[in-house]
Structure formats: structure tokens, C-alpha cells
Amino acid sequence: MTLNPNLTEPRASFVTHLECSMTGEHYPADQPRGLSSVGRPVIVRYDLAALKAALPRALVEARPTDLWRWRELLPVRDAANIVSLGEVETPLIPVPRSGGAKVLVKDEGRLPTGSFKARGLVMAVSMAKALGVTRIAIPTNGNAGAALAAYASRAGIETIVLCPDDTPEINVREIALQGARVYRVNGLIDDCGAIVAKGAAEGRWYDVSTLKEPYRIEGKKTMGLELAAQFGWELPDAIFYPTGGGTGLIGMWKAFAELEALGWIGAKRPKMFAVQASGCAPMVKAFEEGKEHAERWENAHTIASGIRVPRAVGDFLILRAVRESGGIAMAVDDPAIEAAVERCAREDGLLLCPEGGATLAAYHQARAQGLVSADDRVVLFNCATGLKYPMPDRSKTLDRHAAIDLAAL
């Protein structure tokens, strides 16, 4: 695209303030902030009217397709504070055999540290750098800790990571190798989060737990911005999103509202499917019971460790987005997740992580229930590279010294 020479780059950021997601209470934008005064997530707000007047869509379309093409819709005011490892726009991969003719996988494993956690943590760390934070802590099931360790080390910020003691070994070692102090905790991620929160309350570090600071949502919302551009400014019919803390689902819903306010998309929204594992499905239970908040899920267990989140502080935001979209929260069991991962790898050559497998299993479940049709344009989120997860050994051996029946191979 040839850019109109009369178009000029607007100022870097249009942030006006922070806002409590429950009460609407305002807070200053340029100070470190955790939860609101009522203990709920804080949202970044922008002067969208000024942004609309200053930023033509054509200007964004003409830029390189990385995460930072959306910089006016992001909170980092000074580009010198960006702590980047090369956040690319992730591709939409067709999976016609294992999914369907109109099913696409947004493959987030192409991002730095191999997962979509890079989106949220690059924003959190860049803003922490801008705000003068020198020490950060996070609870993690694996990938968030890895992303934080990488970005914080690059920024020179001291990092403490707490993870459940059954976190995948590759994640634990990855976190440590990238410069964080990592501790295995005999509990689940919310138990780790409680320790992080206690240290933050004592002023020992800045807590970047899911939704407990304002900026991971802003990084994750770029998934929604990218989808809008990739679909030619008309959104898909349905999105299946693996939901633990739900930052990405909340972020995409926010992105769609901001894009409509800019006049870049219309009012149409995708049905949002919040996908959980049957062994840890607090959002599903709350959705089915018509509740606004979810109770803690006891004895949480699933092979999809990234969505093993017994309690989410943004539960009401997840449920609100799902209901407003006409979608549902749904659960799939571990055997269905494993089968979906294997089917996608064998039939379409795409290696999903377990959480990504959950979205493929959920899609087929939704098709069987008549919630989506074969004609719907559907996006499944594969939130991390499948290479980080254990795989079954299906190899056989050959003795090169013995007679080999080549036809049998």
C-alpha cells in the first residue's frame, strides 16, 4: 500500500487514565497500580475520539505487521521503554482435515518464548520499566513465568517466579535459564498467587499476576486487533479461547469495542467460547448457573496446565463477554484434548499445545450441539508451541546389522 504523503504519525499514546472494571473509579495512568480499591481489575482507557481524528486506518495498514503497529492503542508512551524480543503478528493456519473448511488456528507459539504470554508480559515489563519498577514477581503454570523471565531479564528487572510443583519441567528450567529465581510450591497457581500478593502488600515486589496489574490485558488485546486486520476488518463468526485467567478473552472483547469506536469495524461480534477443562471449569459452572462470579474450583486437575486456574479475579469480565457475544463457557475432558492434539498433528501437520487441543475438541463438541455450523468462520487459539509439552514415543527400532525388510517399513 502506498501511504498518502499527507498522513503523519500521531503522538505515541492516547492513554487518559486507569479505571476500575467494576465501579468505574478513575486512577492516574502514570503510576504503578494493582487491583482497584474494591479488589477488581483495573483497565487502561484512551481518548478514542482524539485517536480517531489523528490515526487513519490506512496508516496502521501500511506499517510492518508486528505487535507494535498498534502503538497508539497501547499504553507505552515513550518507545525507549519498549522491551521487545520481536513480537510478530501470528498466522492463521487452516486445519481443514482435523477442523473444517472454515476453521483457522491462530498459532501463538510463533511468539517469543513460544507462547501468547509474550503479548501480555512484553507490555507489563515495558510499563514496569517506564514506571521505574525494579523487582517483579508472578505466579505461573509455566509459560507466563517464562515470558516474564525473558522480558524482565532484558530490561534488567529482578524477577521472582512461583509455580506449582508439578509445572512442566521444561518451563521451570526455561524460567531459571532466562534469569529469574524460580520456586516450586506445593499447591496450585492461586496458592502461588497468594504468596506473591503477600509479598507485594509488604512492598517487596510489583505483582504482575493475571489481571492484578493493568497492562497484560493491553498486550493480549492485540490478538483481537490482529484478527480484525487479518479478516479484512470484519470479525470471524466464532472464537474458541482456552480460558484460565481469561486475560486474552477480556482483552479481545475490549479491542473490538475500541475498534468500533474508531470506526474501523462494525457492531458485529464473534460468539466467544470460553474453553475450560472438565477437571477445572469454574467459568463453565458459573455460566451454567447464571452467576456473575465463579466459586473456586476444588481439586483442579487437567493435562492442560495453562487453563488449570481454580479462581480468576476477572471472572465477571469473562462471563460478561461470553454472554454479550452469544457464546458459552464449555468444558472438555482430557481424553478429548489428547485426541484433538494427535488428530491435528497427524491430519494437518500442526502441533498444538494441550490448551490449543482443548479448543479443537470444544469446536467439535459445539458442532455436535449445533452451536456453530460448518459455514461459520471459526478461529481456534493455539496458545503455545506444542514442542514444550511431553509427547508419546511412537518410534520403533531397526538393527542395521540384521536383514531389513524395506517393504515392511
Side-chain angles (χ1 to χ4, degrees):
M1 174 181 292
T2 301
L3 195 60
N4 185 330
N6 296 320
L7 298 180
T8 57
E9 292 284 345
R11 67 178 188 263
S13 177
F14 288 76
V15 174
T16 56
H17 63 278
L18 306 178
E19 181 180 297
C20 175
S21 57
M22 179 169 283
T23 67
E25 182 181 4
H26 288 198
Y27 305 99
D30 297 308
Q31 299 174 10
R33 182 76 218 182
L35 294 174
S36 73
S37 60
V38 295
R40 291 297 173 177
V42 170
I43 306 294
V44 180
R45 295 301 184 196
Y46 301 82
D47 185 344
L48 295 174
L51 206 163
K52 182 177 182 178
L55 183 66
R57 195 175 75 187
L59 187 58
V60 172
E61 290 175 324
R63 291 172 177 167
T65 55
D66 60 12
L67 181 146
W68 299 102
R69 77 187 299 198
W70 309 102
R71 52 188 173 269
E72 291 83 8
L73 275 164
L74 298 174
V76 183
R77 297 187 190 274
D78 184 349
N81 290 317
I82 292 174
V83 185
S84 178
L85 289 167
E87 297 74 38
V88 298
E89 177 180 277
T90 58
L92 291 166
I93 310 297
V95 284
R97 296 181 180 87
S98 61
K102 294 190 175 182
V103 178
L104 299 167
V105 172
K106 191 149 175 63
D107 190 11
E108 297 285 284
R110 314 295 179 97
L111 287 160
T113 70
S115 87
F116 67 175
K117 299 295 185 181
R119 293 184 187 271
L121 272 307
V122 68
M123 209 60 59
V125 171
S126 295
M127 287 304 300
K129 179 184 175 185
L131 298 172
V133 172
T134 59
R135 185 183 296 125
I136 289 177
I138 195 173
T140 186
N141 279 318
N143 283 321
L148 177 63
Y151 285 110
S153 292
R154 193 169 183 85
I157 296 174
E158 187 181 354
T159 308
I160 298 95
V161 176
L162 276 60
C163 61
D165 54 11
D166 61 352
T167 297
E169 189 66 25
I170 191 168
N171 291 137
V172 179
R173 298 189 182 203
E174 178 185 15
I175 292 165
L177 188 61
Q178 291 179 139
R181 296 198 298 279
V182 57
Y183 298 90
R184 305 176 200 248
V185 177
N186 55 340
L188 297 174
I189 190 169
D190 58 340
D191 299 308
C192 298
I195 299 170
V196 170
K198 186 174 188 296
E202 294 177 2
R204 299 180 184 277
W205 47 62
Y206 184 50
D207 184 351
V208 293
S209 303
T210 299
L211 297 176
K212 290 188 177 179
E213 55 77 55
Y215 302 112
R216 287 177 66 180
I217 290 178
E218 297 304 294
K220 283 288 193 72
K221 84 178 181 188
T222 59
M223 296 186 296
L225 301 175
E226 285 181 18
L227 281 180
Q230 288 173 310
F231 276 85
W233 309 105
E234 182 178 340
L235 299 175
D237 298 304
I239 292 173
F240 287 76
Y241 188 81
T243 305
T247 311
L249 192 151
I250 296 165
M252 283 192 286
W253 201 244
K254 182 176 188 284
F256 300 153
E258 291 173 350
L259 288 172
E260 185 180 1
L262 294 176
W264 294 6
I265 65 170
K268 176 192 171 184
R269 295 289 184 274
K271 292 181 180 178
M272 306 296 286
F273 289 82
V275 179
Q276 300 201 293
S278 56
C280 184
M283 295 301 128
V284 178
K285 184 173 185 290
F287 179 85
E288 292 175 347
E289 293 175 351
K291 295 180 178 177
E292 188 178 17
H293 297 283
E295 300 172 2
R296 185 181 191 273
W297 190 273
E298 300 300 327
N299 303 312
H301 62 280
T302 174
I303 59 168
S305 59
I307 53 175
R308 191 184 61 179
V309 178
R311 177 188 287 125
V313 68
D315 51 3
F316 68 105
L317 295 173
I318 298 167
L319 293 164
R320 186 179 299 167
V322 169
R323 288 175 175 134
E324 288 176 0
S325 76
I328 69 167
M330 61 190 308
V332 291
D333 59 30
D334 280 4
I337 293 172
E338 291 177 311
V341 169
E342 181 159 341
R343 182 178 176 186
C344 191
R346 285 180 175 273
E347 297 180 3
D348 283 306
L350 182 62
L351 187 60
L352 303 176
C353 64
E355 298 79 12
T359 68
L360 179 56
Y363 168 71
H364 285 294
Q365 190 171 303
R367 279 288 310 277
Q369 295 173 8
L371 301 173
V372 290
S373 76
D375 293 327
D376 287 331
R377 298 187 305 169
V378 173
V379 173
L380 315 178
F381 270 85
N382 183 45
C383 54
T385 172
L387 294 171
K388 287 192 177 191
Y389 299 85
M391 289 172 256
D393 182 4
R394 301 281 170 77
S395 64
K396 299 178 182 179
T397 59
L398 283 177
D399 181 356
R400 66 186 178 88
H401 300 292
I404 296 175
D405 183 353
L406 297 178
L409 299 184

